[in-house]
């Protein structure tokens, strides 16, 4: 415990016990890692759902669930999905392994651009209710990009067995927690 000594107006010393905040400290690095994990999982799952639309039957049924799919060619939706999956993985793995960590802010910048373009697309279609979500997703991705590029960059590191195993665990978690539920929902649910 840290002690804080102060004098009041009468010259009497007060000794206050202050809790040690070492374990409960909020840091920019911690916030960035949390956002990277959340956004990485979100974009990987969302993008995987778009990648699944390569299947003709799923693509034919998709506009009943998401109206804007009818206005976009199937190949463009799948391409956007691939970009989102790669961006989601890019938010986590390069920083975690230390191998090419500059790819993390680039992935975040790419996702920011994707969300800006999505917001413009929805404005042109008059789908104003979708724009705030695009701006929130893009804004946080921009924060991650700036945070990892300038404020708290990740230093390159030598790849180790431990880092490879952690990365593999993250990929398995992405597959199980983001991609598998998306796949199950899209292949078994009736739109």
């Amino acid at each position: 415990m840290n002690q804080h000594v102060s004098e009041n107006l009468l010259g009497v010393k007060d000794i206050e016990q202050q809790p040690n905040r070492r374990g409960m400290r909020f840091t920019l690095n911690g916030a960035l890692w949390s956002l990277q994990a959340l956004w990485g999982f979100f974009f990987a799952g969302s993008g995987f759902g778009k990648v699944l639309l390569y299947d003709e039957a799923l693509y034919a049924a998709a506009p009943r669930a998401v109206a804007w799919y009818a206005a976009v060619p199937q190949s463009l939706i799948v391409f956007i999905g691939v970009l989102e999956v790669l961006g989601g993985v890019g938010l986590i793995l390069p920083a975690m392994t230390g191998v090419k960590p500059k790819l993390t802010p680039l992935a975040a910048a790419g996702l920011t651009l994707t969300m800006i373009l999505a917001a413009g697309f929805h404005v042109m279609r008059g789908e104003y209710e979708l724009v705030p979500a695009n701006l929130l997703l893009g804004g946080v991705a921009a924060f991650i990009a700036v945070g990892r590029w300038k404020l708290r960059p990740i230093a390159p590191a030598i790849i180790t067995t431990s880092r490879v195993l952690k990365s593999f665990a993250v990929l398995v978690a992405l597959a199980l927690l983001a991609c598998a539920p998306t796949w199950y929902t899209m292949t078994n649910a009736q739109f």
Side-chain angles (χ1 to χ4, degrees):
M1 291 274 215
N2 294 334
Q3 290 185 352
H4 178 71
V5 179
S6 63
E7 288 189 33
N8 61 20
L9 295 176
L10 299 175
V12 179
K13 292 183 180 180
D14 284 337
I15 299 176
E16 300 174 16
Q17 295 288 335
Q18 292 183 338
N20 186 354
R21 296 182 186 197
R22 186 175 206 106
M24 299 295 288
R25 194 172 64 204
F26 176 80
T27 65
L28 179 59
N29 190 48
L32 285 168
W33 271 114
S34 298
L35 291 172
Q36 283 172 245
L38 287 171
W39 260 236
F41 274 79
F42 172 80
F43 278 110
S46 172
F48 186 71
K50 293 175 182 79
V51 170
L52 288 176
L53 295 180
Y54 75 89
D55 181 81
E56 293 294 332
L58 289 175
Y59 179 70
R64 289 188 293 243
V66 180
W68 68 265
Y69 285 170
V72 178
Q74 179 182 14
S75 57
L76 181 57
I77 294 173
V78 172
F79 178 70
I80 292 168
V82 168
L83 292 178
E84 287 182 359
V85 170
L86 292 175
V89 171
L91 288 178
I92 301 170
L93 285 187
M96 179 179 271
T97 62
V99 176
K100 303 287 184 189
K102 291 290 184 190
L103 292 176
T104 294
L106 291 176
L111 291 170
T112 301
L113 178 61
T114 303
M115 290 298 103
I116 290 169
L117 293 172
F121 172 78
H122 292 305
V123 166
M124 287 179 16
R125 286 182 41 88
E127 298 169 333
Y128 301 110
E129 66 279 0
L130 299 175
V131 174
N134 294 137
L135 295 178
L136 174 68
L137 292 167
V140 172
F143 174 72
I144 293 169
V146 170
R148 286 301 178 207
W149 193 264
K150 294 282 184 191
L151 304 176
R152 293 288 186 255
I154 302 288
I158 297 171
I159 194 159
T160 63
T161 304
S162 170
R163 289 176 188 262
V164 170
L165 291 175
K166 281 189 221 176
S167 299
F168 183 71
V170 168
L171 287 174
V172 169
L174 278 170
L176 292 176
L177 299 174
C179 297
T182 301
W183 171 81
Y184 181 81
T185 302
M186 290 188 68
T187 58
N188 292 312
Q190 299 298 320
F191 292 112

